[in-house]
Amino acid sequence: MQDPRPAPSLLTVDDFERAARARLSKMAYDYYRSGADEGRTLRENRRAFRRLEIHHRVLVDVAERDMSTTVLGTRVPFPILVAPTAYQRLAHPDGEIASSRAASELGTIFTLSTLSTTSLEAVADASSGPKWFQLYVHKDRGLTRALVERAESAGYRALMLTVDTPVLGRRIADVRNGFALPEGLVMANLVDAASAAPAEERGSLLASYVASRHDASLTWRDVGWLASLTRLPLLLKGIVRPDDAVRALDAGAAGVVVSNHGARQLDGAPATIEVLPAIAEAVAGRCLVLMDGGIRWGTDVLKAIALGARAVLVGRPVLWGLAALGGEGVARVLAGLRDELSIAMALAGCPTLASIDRDLIRRAQAR
Ligand SMILES: Cc1cc2nc3c(=O)[nH]c(=O)nc-3n(C[C@H](O)[C@H](O)[C@H](O)COP(=O)(O)O)c2cc1C
Ligand SMILES: CCCCC(=O)C(=O)O
């Protein structure tokens, strides 16, 4: 039995990472933690936040703070959403059920990965909060269409098409570890629930799965095809260029997620907080702008809001919470970031998200 009492040693996202590391197998921890190649972009996603200073305003009435916002018509109490991450039952036996329930409990949006280890229907049944579905387009367009239809009928409110993964980035530790799903875990959306997955599929490396099943020939034309399949709003995730963001808008997307996939795809891609301002400027309020990558503190959320994001998503922090304490850990990680944001807003002189303006943020002078 896990001790449900809050352990005061678990206060920050980094505390949860340490606790998660102690509980996870090396293979699982390496899979969650890794970036691609030498990890340059992985380091930059966090360093870039550290380079930004918050030039706070004083003597503003911040006795009441309102952190709520609306994303694609859904009201959320604070601007921190759950990013799609694959294979959550590798972190904890309760996996996606626990993390989606934690998000529901806090009133925020949970995004389920195509590569979840719990079926999208089971997650929809288990938690009542707002949910989005992340989509990978497979060569098998029938399968892709079926995923879209299933997500729609299970009540997911948006589709998040990931556009930065034509092939899998090379995560060196995963290659060395021969990363594979352990016996008993399956890609639950991709197997007929009634029959077991073919043995070679269950045991395959993620990289070979992507190479054989994902459609690396996907182009902007296919975005139109996808939009025609569904009445759900479409978000394109993995955008780091203003021109691509404008193209997404022209292709009918309701929004973009400024993301480098948590630095797991192209090493050398820019830190997302660096490219966010130009993207927000290019779309100029014509579509939703979200961002993810390297958010570990409430002050990081404030910086992202100041530089043009409506809300942010967090990937690894949720996995660390899940691995450390199951659903309780996810709730504590999300609530911790929310509470840090509330303090940061008070100290910066910002009673509402709308008052978090770009002028608050300056790049630290190089020393
Ligand atoms: C272990 C892991 C698995 C992921 N799986 C997916 C996925 O299935 N689909 C997807 O679009 N993004 C996936 N991502 C990327 C996240 O959605 C998100 O972009 C990234 O984690 C944000 O960076 P952060 O971890 O620094 O918060 C994954 C990230 C991690 C760390
Ligand atoms: C096709 C990749 C699935 C998982 C993933 O996105 C990741 O490990 O980063």
Side-chain angles (χ1 to χ4, degrees):
M1 263 289 276
Q2 259 166 18
D3 183 347
R5 285 170 306 175
S9 57
L10 293 174
L11 290 178
T12 70
V13 171
D14 289 336
D15 290 341
F16 274 94
E17 175 168 358
R18 277 186 290 275
R21 183 176 196 167
R23 286 185 171 233
L24 290 169
S25 68
K26 175 172 162 46
M27 186 185 282
Y29 176 70
D30 282 351
Y31 168 64
Y32 288 155
R33 181 197 58 82
S34 290
D37 296 355
E38 65 166 331
R40 200 198 81 92
T41 299
L42 187 65
R43 283 188 296 280
E44 274 303 301
N45 269 356
R46 291 195 67 174
R47 272 193 195 155
F49 277 111
R50 295 200 184 105
R51 285 195 291 270
L52 300 176
E53 297 170 339
I54 305 167
H55 290 240
H56 57 276
R57 293 192 181 90
V58 298
L59 295 174
V60 178
D61 178 354
V62 290
E64 304 283 335
R65 271 101 59 203
D66 181 2
M67 295 187 283
S68 66
T69 190
T70 301
V71 277
L72 302 179
T74 297
R75 194 84 189 150
V76 287
F78 56 95
I80 304 168
L81 321 179
V82 177
T85 55
Y87 303 162
Q88 295 187 2
R89 290 184 61 208
L90 205 54
H92 190 279
D94 300 341
E96 292 86 359
I97 300 270
S99 49
S100 63
R101 282 186 178 155
S104 295
E105 206 179 289
L106 286 155
T108 195
I109 294 169
F110 179 80
T111 314
L112 184 73
S113 166
T114 287
L115 299 190
S116 56
T117 40
T118 310
S119 75
L120 67 91
E121 289 84 2
V123 172
D125 286 346
S127 59
S128 57
K131 279 174 284 296
W132 294 346
F133 184 70
Q134 176 270 330
L135 184 70
Y136 280 125
V137 173
H138 288 66
K139 285 177 190 158
D140 179 345
R141 290 301 169 92
L143 171 72
T144 307
R145 179 194 288 265
L147 282 171
V148 171
E149 286 167 359
R150 286 170 59 194
E152 204 171 306
S153 53
Y156 289 77
R157 298 187 188 181
L159 282 184
M160 186 184 281
L161 174 68
T162 301
V163 291
D164 59 13
T165 310
V167 301
L168 198 71
R170 203 161 64 117
R171 297 96 186 244
I172 307 295
D174 292 351
V175 177
R176 292 199 215 282
N177 293 336
F179 175 74
L181 272 185
E183 207 43 53
L185 295 189
V186 292
M187 296 193 259
N189 293 320
L190 303 174
V191 292
D192 178 9
S195 68
E200 75 278 13
E201 189 166 299
R202 258 187 300 172
S204 78
L205 297 174
L206 184 57
S208 46
Y209 176 84
V210 174
S212 67
R213 307 290 292 278
H214 278 201
D215 188 352
S217 73
L218 200 73
T219 68
W220 289 102
R221 258 206 319 275
D222 302 300
V223 175
W225 166 76
L226 192 61
S228 76
L229 289 185
T230 178
R231 52 181 177 75
L232 297 179
L234 192 61
L235 295 165
L236 298 198
K237 171 172 182 278
I239 303 282
V240 298
R241 301 172 54 101
D243 56 355
D244 273 352
V246 170
R247 259 189 118 163
L249 187 64
D250 294 343
V256 293
V257 183
V258 177
S259 174
N260 54 30
H261 209 112
R264 297 161 70 79
Q265 288 296 100
L266 180 64
D267 198 26
T272 45
I273 193 68
E274 291 280 350
V275 293
L276 173 65
I279 291 174
E281 206 166 291
V283 304
R286 289 174 293 164
C287 73
L288 178 67
V289 176
L290 304 175
M291 75 84 73
D292 70 23
I295 301 266
R296 299 293 180 271
W297 296 95
T299 49
D300 297 336
V301 183
L302 184 141
K303 290 170 185 176
I305 303 290
L307 296 179
R310 176 82 60 81
V312 304
L313 301 102
V314 286
R316 293 181 187 84
V318 167
L319 296 171
W320 305 144
L322 185 61
L325 293 179
E328 165 74 14
V330 176
R332 281 176 56 184
V333 163
L334 291 172
L337 287 168
R338 176 198 63 196
D339 296 347
E340 287 173 8
L341 174 63
S342 175
I343 294 171
M345 285 172 64
L347 297 177
C350 301
T352 61
L353 297 184
S355 64
I356 304 177
D357 61 289
R358 198 161 159 174
D359 185 55
L360 283 171
I361 307 300
R362 313 259 168 91
R363 188 178 283 268
Q365 297 298 315
R367 273 179 266 276

